[in-house]
Amino acid sequence: MVSSRAAALLLSLAVTTVTCGQAKTPSPLQIEHLRAFATLYGHVRFFHPSDEAAATDWDRFAMLGAERVSRLASRTQLRTELEALFHPIAPAIQFLGTGEKLGPMPEEAAVVAWQHLGVGLGGETPYRSSRLNRATAPGSIGSIVNGVDATPHRGKKLRLRAHGRAEVSGHANQLQFWVRVDRAERKLGFFHNMDDRPVTSARWAAYEILGDIADDAQLIVFGAFLRGEGKAWVDEFMLEVREPDGTWHNVPIGNAGFEESDTGELPKGWSGNPSGYQISTQRDDVAVGKQALRIESLPRTVMPALFEARPRNGEYSDVALAPDLRAIIPLTLADRDGKTQPVADAKSLRKLREALAKLNPNATANDRAVRLAGVIIAWNVLHHFYPYWDVVKADWDAMLTAALVRAYPDQTAEQYRDLLSEFVAALEDGHGAVVHPRLMVDRGFLPVVAELVEGQPVVVGVPPNSPFKVGDVIVSIDQVPVMDEVSSLMALRSGSPQWKRATVPRQLGAGPKDSKARVVVERERAQVTIETVRGELAEASPPLVASFSEVRPGIVYVDLSAVDMLDIESAMPKLTTARGIVFDLRGYPKDNHDVLRHLSGTSLQSARFQIARRIYPDQKRLVGYDESGRWNLEPLEPRLAARVVFLTGGGAISYAESVMGIVEHYRLGTIVGGATAGANGNINAIPLPGGFHIAYTGMRVVKHDGSQHHLVGIQPDIAVERTVAGVRAGKDEVLERGIAVIDGSP
């Protein structure tokens, strides 16, 4: 049975096929061939343990394979093309047509096989993938970091320049420069790390990143990192800001060219992550001056098994690829003389690698191969490793067909992002998102904070001297009825209904930065038209009460999204004498979950964080979970004896839900407001060709009793929602109800 969301995508598929004009659309046979390649791609990349496959650049392989199979004119050519693509990297695979019998399987010897803890896709996450009896790199990223105070440069453009070169080969081994602007209160600032144009050339060259410094920026942090294995050199960093008159002004950086460091040592003024890497200044190879910095991965070592379970010798997957074709894919291989058996044909492997090397490393979403490869890669990662298919009922198989058809015609990067967003929306995952740094640089927003109140987008926060007023109900934006835009944004947003309701209003009216917007609002029973300009994402709603304050005699209010643990500890005398405490957790905690240790006389545990252990494809035969990341919190003195209320709602996600889950299970206070987002656990990120990333929840989180948390969230003891009348009257009705609970009022 096709889910409603899959049905919607299939409908849009049909519409696309009819209305795309001159854009080329794929035939049913082309889609059949692309699906066959996609299926085989996932099984070989993640579960077939050959040395040749492990050394493959899988992004480029997806691009090459998608392009080749989509050009085939008949089914009879499919087997020949798949053999040409896969046998050089997986010579043990057997392709079988109708009536053909399985041949001999690989010999038994020291077994090489995949183990997945979640799935390792790079970056610093708790997720890992490794092959048994195979040496692996001891680190995933070797980085250096520097930074400057951003406050003198707020509201300006920034430009980071640096020189670099890399001696790398193989999948995802590359040098990247990066810049991040840190804003107040953990708000998202500019970030770019050259994912869309990594450095893989062995020749010195200059690179630059352009971005914006927010009006509330605190730090500009920047640096470089070597991802994976190889060697990289960086030299002569330069940070500049553009003044109002258009001139660029240099911002001093300590030891920008690494000239002040002792040769062979870590550079003075820089910090970083050398785990698994040798990071040092050297004089042999420089771009400017006398010294440069080298980052080099340390030699591979055989790592311990991730867990005990492993495939048995001779186990394989039998995968249907087409009506008359299937593939037998061994899950274990023998090792002899340090090589998995059988060894690939050297000529065929060289030919394949030459074809991969010819692909443009900086190809964008304007290239059909980039789009098709992105769909194939993302679909496979989520098909094999997304932890919530038992909860989310999307027809993922139908989604692959729909997404391939929609990715095929010519389109812009923005259209492709929206396609991927609908794809990810099917996960119903509050962490699910499609990210491309360049597509955010020039994006502007309405200068208001809006919330869905009684089903309508209502202005709840405005900057000084704004033509908008708190309590305005947004009717239309640029002549588009606002509820139509709400529906469109909901379709692109992944997550529970409560998470979408909490977050979608922030995106209303988004468009090119500095562009004009015509907004119609309802105010005092009349419609008012406001001309405005899109700019930075508006600040969160101004608090109606101070983040730490006595809101009634003996009742203390603590906003856990604004007050850190040091502030709480310093105010402990006031909390210990309070008759009631209202903890506000409608946002994201500020590293202050230790406050829970003052609310209990016994040990506390978090919900159960479960990282799946997988050795088989298609989510079959799960071999257990790793739950070692579960929190254990011991009591702290003084114990707070006041009556406690926690405020929460749909905007509370992830870390906030870890805190609220403990509150719920141990009954540490009365929960007032709405259900939390229902998305907890560490994020994993899927890097895709063209600089895109897809984020998703990589682990399963269940409540203390093992029941479902995903999409459900933490439910309130007392449900309270804001009203339009309350917003206009300047009331926080959720807070007022929390105070009433402490006072014992109805």
Side-chain angles (χ1 to χ4, degrees), residues 152 192 220 404 448 497 598 679:
H192 186 72
I220 303 172
L404 288 171
V448 299
H598 292 279

Side-chain angles (χ1 to χ4, degrees), residues 602-622:
T602 59
S603 300
L604 305 172
Q605 279 190 306
S606 65
R608 292 156 63 181
F609 305 145
Q610 300 178 328
I611 304 178
R613 294 168 172 163
R614 298 191 188 278
I615 57 177
Y616 299 110
D618 301 318
Q619 304 258 349
K620 294 177 180 177
R621 298 163 63 188
L622 180 69

Side-chain angles (χ1 to χ4, degrees), residues 455-506:
Q456 307 171 88
V458 177
V459 175
V460 298
V462 297
N465 305 315
S466 172
F468 293 93
K469 291 186 176 181
V470 171
D472 284 346
V473 178
I474 302 174
V475 176
S476 67
I477 303 171
D478 292 334
Q479 300 182 322
V480 176
V482 72
M483 294 311 296
D484 289 353
E485 185 176 359
V486 169
S487 297
S488 298
L489 290 172
M490 289 280 193
L492 296 175
R493 179 59 57 90
S494 195
S496 65
Q498 63 268 28
W499 171 246
K500 293 183 181 184
R501 288 193 296 268
T503 55
V504 158
R506 299 299 306 275

Side-chain angles (χ1 to χ4, degrees), residues 29-45:
L29 185 64
Q30 286 174 307
I31 292 301
E32 181 180 302
H33 291 166
L34 284 166
R35 283 181 54 88
F37 171 75
T39 301
L40 191 55
Y41 174 95
H43 281 75
V44 175
R45 175 176 176 178

Side-chain angles (χ1 to χ4, degrees), residues 169-469:
S169 63
H171 172 60
N173 298 318
Q174 56 205 35
L175 169 66
Q176 295 173 235
F177 295 100
W178 60 274
V179 182
R180 188 184 73 234
V181 177
D182 290 346
R183 302 174 62 191
E185 305 298 333
R186 295 178 179 268
K187 291 190 288 290
L188 180 66
F190 172 78
F191 175 73
H192 186 72
N193 68 358
M194 290 180 54
D195 257 342
D196 56 337
R197 49 192 177 104
V199 181
T200 56
S201 171
R203 293 185 177 182
W204 279 107
Y207 300 89
E208 75 173 34
I209 298 173
L210 293 170
D212 294 306
I213 305 172
D215 292 335
D216 63 346
Q218 296 180 327
L219 287 172
I220 303 172
V221 192
F222 53 88
F225 60 84
L226 172 63
R227 183 188 296 277
E229 296 180 89
K231 300 176 184 179
W233 289 259
V234 297
D235 201 359
E236 202 60 24
F237 279 77
M238 178 183 292
L239 181 65
E240 299 172 294
V241 295
R242 192 171 67 187
E243 302 298 342
D245 63 2
T247 60
W248 288 93
H249 170 70
N250 184 58
V251 178
I253 299 172
N255 199 15
F258 311 107
E259 302 297 317
E260 302 168 23
S261 305
D262 294 332
T263 303
E265 301 294 330
L266 283 168
K268 294 178 181 178
W270 296 77
S271 58
N273 170 36
S275 178
Y277 295 83
Q278 177 67 41
I279 301 177
S280 60
T281 53
Q282 50 83 44
R283 291 176 175 267
D284 329 344
D285 193 345
V286 301
V288 180
K290 297 180 179 180
Q291 291 196 140
L293 181 77
R294 183 174 66 190
I295 308 173
E296 181 177 359
S297 60
L298 295 176
R300 288 176 166 243
T301 56
V302 177
M303 305 298 287
L306 296 177
F307 45 84
E308 185 176 346
R310 61 204 62 199
R312 297 187 304 274
N313 282 4
E315 283 197 281
Y316 60 86
S317 290
D318 186 339
V319 183
L321 302 176
D324 57 349
L325 182 65
R326 72 187 207 270
I328 306 300
I329 308 166
L331 301 180
T332 67
L333 291 175
D335 174 277
R336 188 166 62 244
D337 300 326
K339 298 178 181 179
T340 51
Q341 302 298 313
V343 177
D345 175 71
K347 183 178 179 180
S348 298
L349 180 59
R350 183 173 64 253
K351 184 177 179 181
L352 174 65
R353 287 179 172 168
E354 288 172 352
L356 294 175
K358 290 178 181 178
L359 296 178
N360 179 9
N362 299 320
T364 69
N366 294 326
D367 188 329
R368 176 183 293 123
V370 167
R371 299 192 301 273
L372 293 174
V375 168
I376 289 167
I377 294 167
W379 185 87
N380 271 292
V381 171
L382 297 167
H383 168 72
H384 293 291
F385 301 106
Y386 183 54
Y388 288 114
W389 287 127
D390 61 328
V391 173
V392 177
K393 302 304 181 184
D395 188 335
W396 197 237
D397 190 65
M399 297 291 289
L400 174 60
T401 298
L404 288 171
V405 172
R406 289 190 56 190
Y408 203 90
D410 294 338
Q411 57 194 263
T412 65
E414 288 79 7
Q415 290 171 318
Y416 180 55
R417 176 197 59 202
D418 289 348
L419 160 61
L420 292 176
S421 295
E422 289 187 41
F423 198 51
V424 174
L427 303 178
E428 299 183 43
D429 179 5
H431 287 140
V434 179
V435 180
H436 192 294
R438 286 194 173 185
L439 296 182
M440 289 299 296
V441 170
D442 295 317
R443 193 166 175 81
F445 304 89
L446 297 182
V448 299
V449 178
E451 292 181 7
L452 281 181
V453 181
E454 296 183 302
Q456 307 171 88
V458 177
V459 175
V460 298
V462 297
N465 305 315
S466 172
F468 293 93
K469 291 186 176 181

